[in-house]
Amino acid sequence: MTISRRKLVGAAGLLPPFAAAFTLSSAVKASEPETSDAESCSVAVIGAGAAGLAAAIAAKEAGAVRVVVLEKTALAGGHMMVSSGMLNAVDPEGQKRFGRTDSAEHFFRDTYEGGGGLGDPDLIATMVRSSADVFAWLKSLGVEFDPALYEAYTGVYPRAHRTIQARSGMAYSRALMRRARKLGVEVRYRQRVEALVMHNGRVLGVELTDMDADSPQHKTLMAKSVVIASGGFGANRLMRARWAPWISMDLGTTYSPGRIEEDPATGDGIRMAEAVGAGLVGMEYVLAIPFWGGRVLDYPGAEIFLTARGERFTDETASWDTVLADLTAAGGSDFWVITDSRSRKGSTFATKVQQGLVESAASLKELAKKMNISSAQLSEVFARYNEAARTGTDPDFGRTRFLQELKEPPFYFGRERFEVHYTCGGIAINPKAEVLYAGSQKRPVFGLYAAGEVTGGVHGKFRLGGSGLLDAFVFGRIAGRNAAQTSLIDAMR
């Protein structure tokens, strides 16, 4: 029996990364693949999240004739749908309203230093310099932003914007889908892309399984260019074990706590790119945060973290990896988070209260009783914390950022635990969002682009809060524009 190269490439995407890379290295030397029966388009986009939708819109606006988005789940939006929606952007006018200043240089420094000096300076510069344009673009799509500026958790500086809607992630998703539909972008659901079709060093399309049919059907979609925007690998425990074995296998993800199988971030695009020889960057940098428990704020400075015994154990405004290390050193796996009535609650507040994840207490005495700790001990902890907030001096943990004291009941509280939130590593790209081959020469794979969490190199070892969506929007739009240009050049040949 003769097996066509097209079938060989499709099967290779299901093999372990090292085996797939070996198989495909031979397959790309094969004769012209059998594609006479395959559907074709100008640009194929893998994933309908923030990066994928931004890429599809940009490709269509740049002149691509037919743009098809392939989404493996039944909904568009990806992780953007459940995000807090914080978006970092350089906004001089907004900063001026609050008597502050900001600049791309300042943002660059915060990002580079926040990532431990491991981020690619060219990628960081591209992201921060494009932030104002992305902010304006989203407003042009009808997204309405709160005039206040926030410091997103671990965002270092108050440059984050949030929408006026309670669920910012949903607001972005609706705006992008509205624009995509108007432009005639085709979004297809339950399309699981298995592999890239390659020939003579260039991408020709993708192999996929159509799960939306009466029975799963294996298909080929030919494309002049392909954008990988399929997200990270936080929900793939085997990939986590391979690249970041120190992340506990017990940790779920912030997308679907307790139901990791529902999280679409399974590293599909990374495996496919690696299989055709693409380079990977920073795969060991996996970010875990507390999200779906007692936390109800989208910004730091207005809450206190306590162990199960009712003791402070960390600087609550420190980076999440520091908080996790301090929690582990204190012998805990989860912790209490407490705020008061003065703080501005985030988009998850109502849901958490309804689900019983967050409770309220009318006094410190009631709070201590519900937390099952000594009332005298809790009063002492709060008195010491509020003194530090008043003076700006924290003798216990060196915290310097306090937005308020915690003394106005009712107090809101709940238990929190860490879950995997973001993978900083992924496919190597350049500022044009071109996928790069592994090795020192940094050659691009012709016709192949990537954007969003599926890529690596932008954030180094740690991503600032508020920069995840920005990264996706910036490089999604760049990938879409360049993919469209490639498709148009190819069509003129």
Side-chain angles (χ1 to χ4, degrees):
M1 181 177 68
T2 301
I3 300 177
S4 72
R5 179 192 171 283
R6 177 161 60 88
K7 292 181 179 178
L8 178 61
V9 176
L14 302 177
L15 298 174
F18 60 89
F22 176 80
T23 304
L24 285 170
S25 66
S26 302
V28 295
K29 299 176 183 176
S31 59
E32 187 71 24
E34 301 170 14
T35 59
S36 59
D37 60 339
E39 184 184 8
S40 65
C41 65
S42 304
V43 178
V45 180
I46 306 172
L53 291 177
I57 292 168
K60 197 67 177 175
E61 290 176 338
V65 177
R66 187 182 184 202
V67 178
V68 177
V69 180
L70 303 166
E71 169 57 45
K72 73 176 181 180
T73 72
L75 293 171
H79 280 200
M80 171 174 58
M81 288 281 285
V82 299
S83 73
S84 67
M86 287 289 191
L87 179 81
N88 285 334
V90 177
D91 178 15
E93 292 184 6
Q95 296 290 346
K96 187 177 180 180
R97 289 197 302 270
F98 295 92
R100 299 188 298 258
T101 60
D102 194 16
S103 65
E105 292 73 22
H106 187 181
F107 191 4
F108 177 96
R109 183 176 66 250
D110 290 343
T111 303
Y112 185 73
E113 293 178 354
L118 298 173
D120 183 321
D122 291 335
L123 295 178
I124 297 172
T126 299
M127 181 180 73
V128 302
R129 289 171 183 165
S130 303
S131 65
D133 185 49
V134 161
F135 183 47
W137 170 66
L138 289 168
K139 288 193 288 187
S140 76
L141 296 183
V143 178
E144 297 181 77
F145 288 95
D146 187 328
L149 291 172
Y150 298 85
E151 179 184 324
Y153 258 104
T154 65
V156 180
Y157 190 79
R159 61 170 63 91
H161 302 76
R162 57 181 290 178
T163 70
I164 62 172
Q165 290 89 346
R167 298 181 64 183
S168 293
M170 181 73 78
Y172 295 133
S173 299
R174 286 173 174 167
L176 266 61
M177 282 299 295
R178 230 176 9 245
R179 180 60 177 163
R181 290 192 189 99
K182 185 174 182 179
L183 290 169
V185 171
E186 300 174 45
V187 181
R188 300 181 182 178
Y189 301 98
R190 291 175 52 77
Q191 308 293 302
R192 191 177 66 215
V193 179
E194 311 282 4
L196 300 167
V197 177
M198 300 285 296
H199 182 67
N200 288 341
R202 69 156 296 165
V203 173
L204 293 181
V206 298
E207 293 282 347
L208 61 92
T209 299
D210 181 356
M211 305 297 294
D212 207 36
D214 292 335
S215 60
Q217 296 182 7
H218 301 289
K219 298 180 178 180
T220 300
L221 176 64
M222 306 305 293
K224 304 294 184 183
S225 55
V226 174
V227 178
I228 303 176
S230 52
F233 63 95
N236 188 323
R237 286 193 171 106
L238 291 179
M239 289 184 72
R240 278 164 40 182
R242 174 189 176 191
W243 295 105
W246 51 88
I247 295 291
S248 172
M249 294 285 276
D250 294 336
L251 293 192
T253 69
T254 56
Y255 179 86
S256 52
R259 305 183 307 278
I260 195 171
E261 68 281 355
E262 296 178 9
D263 190 335
T266 51
D268 306 339
I270 294 173
R271 291 186 290 106
M272 283 185 277
E274 186 184 22
V276 300
L280 304 182
V281 181
M283 293 289 288
E284 63 270 36
Y285 304 126
V286 176
L287 175 62
I289 71 168
F291 186 77
W292 276 113
R295 269 186 59 206
V296 296
L297 308 184
D298 296 331
Y299 60 93
E303 58 194 1
I304 187 172
F305 299 166
L306 304 179
T307 65
R309 300 182 301 273
E311 301 165 344
R312 277 188 76 205
F313 62 91
T314 192
D315 169 2
E316 292 86 352
T317 64
S319 62
W320 287 128
D321 54 347
T322 297
V323 176
L324 177 56
D326 290 346
L327 177 64
T328 302
S333 59
D334 61 2
F335 60 101
W336 292 107
V337 179
I338 308 165
T339 188
D340 69 359
S341 62
R342 294 174 58 202
S343 60
R344 178 163 181 170
K345 312 304 184 288
S347 59
T348 62
F349 176 64
T351 299
K352 289 182 176 182
V353 171
Q354 290 170 355
Q355 294 178 344
L357 296 171
V358 171
E359 299 181 64
S360 63
S363 66
L364 283 180
K365 185 176 181 179
E366 182 182 353
L367 178 63
K369 183 178 181 180
K370 288 186 174 181
M371 291 172 61
N372 195 30
I373 61 176
S374 162
S375 177
Q377 175 190 339
L378 188 64
S379 295
E380 182 179 346
V381 168
F382 266 71
R384 190 170 179 84
Y385 176 92
N386 286 333
E387 175 65 19
R390 282 192 298 273
T391 63
T393 301
D394 179 8
D396 298 318
F397 299 99
R399 174 172 162 176
T400 59
R401 290 179 289 168
F402 294 90
L403 294 183
Q404 64 176 69
E405 297 176 57
L406 299 178
K407 60 182 183 181
E408 298 293 335
F411 297 98
Y412 296 95
F413 68 102
R415 294 292 276 267
E416 265 288 8
R417 61 168 288 143
F418 278 81
E419 307 282 0
V420 172
H421 182 62
Y422 193 88
T423 48
C424 294
I427 302 169
I429 61 169
N430 61 22
K432 295 180 180 179
E434 295 173 312
V435 171
L436 304 176
Y437 281 110
S440 59
Q441 296 182 347
K442 296 185 177 181
R443 293 183 300 114
V445 181
F446 188 83
L448 185 59
Y449 303 85
E453 194 179 348
V454 77
T455 67
V458 179
H459 306 288
K461 69 176 185 179
F462 186 84
R463 175 181 64 74
L464 297 185
S467 288
L469 286 175
L470 175 64
D471 174 5
F473 291 142
V474 167
F475 287 101
R477 297 179 77 203
I478 292 172
R481 286 194 294 265
N482 288 328
Q485 184 178 26
T486 297
S487 73
L488 293 170
I489 292 173
D490 191 71
M492 290 188 291
R493 290 178 177 177

